[in-house]
Structures are given as structure tokens and as C-alpha cells.
Amino acid sequence: MRRSNLLWIVPSLAFCAAGYYGLAFGRLTINASDSLQGNAYAMVTWPLDIRPGTIAAIKLPEVLRDKFDGHELYLTKRIVGIAGDPVSVKGNTFCVNDSCVEGQLKDGKLVSPLWQGDVVPDGMIAVFGDSADSLDSRYAVIGPRPVDDVIAAGIEIAFPHWTTIREWLR
């Protein structure tokens, strides 16, 4: 094979492999809430990067699945703790490692009980949203999430808010 042919064959094969990988393992996750700052995340289903700081799409807890009429929705949150990481609760403040969030109050009372534990259990992760009213691991209803419930992990990408897209389509 001539060297000049290799100059276009090798990049073409690399482009095709990257495209196949994106189609096979990639997904775009739209954030329809204010729980994280970003509006969209480029995610992959394999390999999963399960470590603090990673944004993850996680299956809804059983208690919430019925509330969304069978739609395939996921919690999109930032991983703040993995198995063995310390957990502490002081009043309304919930901490995993050095990441602390306040439980939301309504009429001076917590809107939901905080998750109680000393460490993130084996096979579990703790996740937080960026907003004060995020439904995340601080609350017992969500609590630690099984690593097996992580569907995809990824990074924030520039993308307009869904309300902006709705306006464009009108």
C-alpha cells in the first residue's frame, strides 16, 4: 500500500471508530431542573467514571418512579462520595467528605428527613445537586444510590436551556 493512501485511511478509520463509539455508548442528557448549573451533559455509558466530581445520570429511586407516569427520567447529579467516604449530619447540615449542603426548611422544619449514616455504604455513591432545593442524597428518600443504578457519566456541554428551545420552536 502506498504511503499517500495511509494518510487518508488512518484518519478515516479513527473518525469511524470515534463515531461508532459515540453512537454505541454516548447520550445527551438534558437537565430540565435547576439542580445543576449546566443545561446539558455529554455522557457515556461505558466506561463509567465513578468518582467524586463526576456528573452522573442515575435511575430514579423506586419511590419516585411512579410519580413520572412511566417516563424514562434520571437523576442527574454530581457524585460527592463513594463507598467508605465519611458522612456527617449536624443540625440541618449534611456533609459527605468536605462537601456540605443544608437541608431545605419550610416553616422552620425540614421538608424531608435527612439521610442518617456514618459512611457511604459499599456499592453505593452519594450525589448532590448544585442548588439549595435539589432532591439528592442529603434526604433519606434518595439517600445513597447504588453504583449499579448509574446509567451514564459525563461532562457539561454548552447547550441552551429547554425554555429557550421551546421559545425557538414556537
Side-chain angles (χ1 to χ4, degrees):
M1 186 176 296
R2 294 185 1 203
R3 184 175 173 85
S4 61
N5 286 344
L6 286 177
L7 291 176
W8 68 269
I9 291 174
V10 171
S12 296
L13 287 174
F15 179 78
C16 289
Y20 176 77
Y21 177 81
L23 290 171
F25 302 110
R27 65 175 50 195
L28 174 66
T29 300
I30 305 294
N31 182 18
S33 73
D34 293 326
S35 68
L36 289 173
Q37 292 176 355
N39 296 323
Y41 300 89
M43 300 209 167
V44 294
T45 57
W46 181 86
L48 289 175
D49 182 16
I50 308 292
R51 62 182 165 148
T54 300
I55 301 294
I58 305 160
K59 290 180 187 175
L60 286 175
E62 197 66 42
V63 69
L64 296 178
R65 286 186 194 145
D66 296 336
K67 297 187 184 299
F68 293 100
D69 239 1
H71 295 294
E72 189 176 351
L73 299 176
Y74 301 103
L75 293 174
T76 303
K77 306 290 180 189
R78 186 177 319 281
I79 297 173
V80 293
I82 57 175
D85 285 348
V87 174
S88 64
V89 178
K90 292 181 182 125
N92 296 337
T93 303
F94 183 85
C95 300
V96 178
N97 291 320
D98 292 330
S99 296
C100 297
V101 289
E102 298 287 324
Q104 189 175 14
L105 301 174
K106 184 175 181 179
D107 299 326
K109 295 181 182 176
L110 283 168
V111 294
S112 182
L114 296 178
W115 166 41
Q116 301 294 316
D118 296 330
V119 297
V120 178
D122 286 341
M124 305 291 243
I125 57 172
V127 295
F128 287 166
D130 293 341
S131 75
D133 64 350
S134 177
L135 184 57
D136 52 32
S137 286
R138 77 185 93 178
Y139 299 110
V141 68
I142 301 293
R145 304 303 312 141
V147 170
D148 291 343
D149 280 3
V150 176
I151 301 299
I155 59 170
E156 181 180 343
I157 58 172
F159 199 81
H161 195 271
W162 68 271
T163 55
T164 304
I165 294 170
R166 183 181 63 196
E167 291 300 318
W168 292 343
L169 297 175
R170 285 186 180 186

